[in-house]
Amino acid sequence: QVQLVESGGGLVQTGGSLRLSCAASGRAYGSIAMGWFRQAPGKEREFVSAINWSGDTTYYADSVKGRFTISRDNAKNAVYLQMNSLKPEDTAVYFCAAPLTMAAQKNAYSYVYWGQGTQVTVSS
């Protein structure tokens, strides 16, 4: 019902920036929240950020707070993750995801729609 496609990943140096985009389609998109997750090699998938349907409520993992900014543009059916001051520990595959709720969710198990992921590599 909802298709999510991420883009914007790449290789950057420590301190650099990337802007991830997630293009969404499907008839349920307009009424759902969105989130970003990441999974590094040898580690479990972790929550990064989430935003509610209207964009006026956001959540961030402590590890990215102050460096990452989530936003959405419903007119463009897109959600973004601006990543600044990147660190090697930010290296991971980043996934955008959508739950079945309008409220932002922090738990990966609340999400039912997932993008294919985009690789972010931060060199030291």
Side-chain angles (χ1 to χ4, degrees):
Q1 189 174 34
V2 176
Q3 179 73 34
L4 306 175
V5 180
E6 304 98 330
S7 63
L11 174 64
V12 299
Q13 294 184 334
T14 297
S17 298
L18 284 173
R19 187 178 191 241
L20 305 183
S21 298
C22 178
S25 62
R27 56 180 172 270
Y29 174 78
S31 62
I32 57 176
M34 298 291 293
W36 287 96
F37 294 80
R38 67 187 183 186
Q39 187 166 20
K43 297 183 178 180
E44 296 183 351
R45 180 175 52 189
E46 66 174 339
F47 169 77
V48 176
S49 185
I51 187 167
N52 73 337
W53 71 274
S54 61
D56 57 3
T57 300
T58 59
Y59 298 110
Y60 297 93
D62 288 341
S63 59
V64 307
K65 193 172 298 182
R67 299 187 297 120
F68 291 9
T69 302
I70 189 171
S71 62
R72 70 187 301 166
D73 187 339
N74 290 344
K76 298 180 179 179
N77 296 328
V79 62
Y80 309 99
L81 186 68
Q82 178 66 46
M83 306 185 296
N84 298 326
S85 302
L86 284 162
K87 307 173 181 179
E89 49 263 49
D90 294 319
T91 295
V93 176
Y94 284 71
F95 301 89
C96 66
L100 295 176
T101 64
M102 292 183 289
Q105 306 292 328
K106 298 180 181 179
N107 194 302
Y109 295 104
S110 296
Y111 291 80
V112 297
Y113 302 108
W114 295 85
Q116 82 288 348
T118 185
Q119 177 70 47
V120 172
T121 303
V122 185
S123 64
S124 59

